[in-house]
C-alpha cells in the first residue's frame, strides 16, 4: 500500500492542491461506502478478522473490531490512489 499508493500519490499531488482537495472530497464518499460494505460483509460473515491476527491494531466500529490498516489503506488511501493513477495517465 505504501509503495503503490502513498508514495506516487504524494509526489503527484504535492504541487496540485486544487486536485488534491477534490480527491479528498471523493475519498470521503468512498470511505463511507466502504464502511457500509465492511459492516454488511462482517455481519453476514463473508470474512472475519481473527482476534490473534498479525494486525497493527484494532479500531472499534460499533460492535465490530476492524484492523487499523483496513481503515487506512482500503477505506481512505485506495480511492485517492486510484484517482491519482487515473489523473496521471489521463494527463499523458
Amino acid at each position: 500500500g505504501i509503495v503503490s499508493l502513498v508514495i506516487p500519490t504524494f509526489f503527484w499531488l504535492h504541487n496540485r492542491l486544487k486536485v488534491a482537495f477534490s480527491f479528498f472530497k471523493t475519498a470521503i464518499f468512498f470511505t463511507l461506502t466502504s464502511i457500509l460494505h465492511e459492516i454488511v460483509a462482517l455481519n453476514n460473515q463473508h470474512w472475519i478478522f481473527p482476534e490473534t491476527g498479525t494486525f497493527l491494531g484494532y479500531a472499534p466500529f460499533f460492535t465490530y473490531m476492524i484492523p487499523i490498516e483496513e481503515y487506512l489503506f482500503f477505506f481512505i488511501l485506495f480511492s485517492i490512489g486510484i484517482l491519482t493513477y487515473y489523473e496521471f495517465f489521463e494527463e499523458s
Side-chain angles (χ1 to χ4, degrees):
I2 291 174
V3 172
S4 64
L5 294 176
V6 175
I7 294 172
T9 299
F10 176 75
F11 283 115
W12 193 78
L13 288 177
H14 80 279
N15 61 353
R16 295 172 176 91
L17 294 178
K18 186 175 180 180
V19 175
F21 182 68
S22 67
F23 279 15
F24 290 121
K25 290 192 301 186
T26 306
I28 290 170
F29 170 77
F30 282 110
T31 297
L32 295 175
T33 56
S34 295
I35 288 172
L36 291 175
H37 175 259
E38 192 74 26
I39 289 171
V40 169
L42 288 173
N43 191 33
N44 293 328
Q45 296 182 348
H46 292 157
W47 57 75
I48 60 169
F49 298 113
E51 297 283 329
T52 59
T54 56
F55 304 113
L56 293 177
Y58 287 95
F61 189 78
F62 295 113
T63 59
Y64 304 104
M65 296 298 286
I66 301 174
I68 292 173
E69 56 266 21
E70 187 82 8
Y71 282 110
L72 181 65
F73 290 111
F74 183 67
F75 293 170
I76 300 169
L77 292 178
F78 186 69
S79 61
I80 294 173
I82 294 297
L83 288 171
T84 300
Y85 279 108
Y86 173 78
E87 287 292 326
F88 176 75
F89 288 113
E90 182 68 24
E91 266 186 10
S92 304

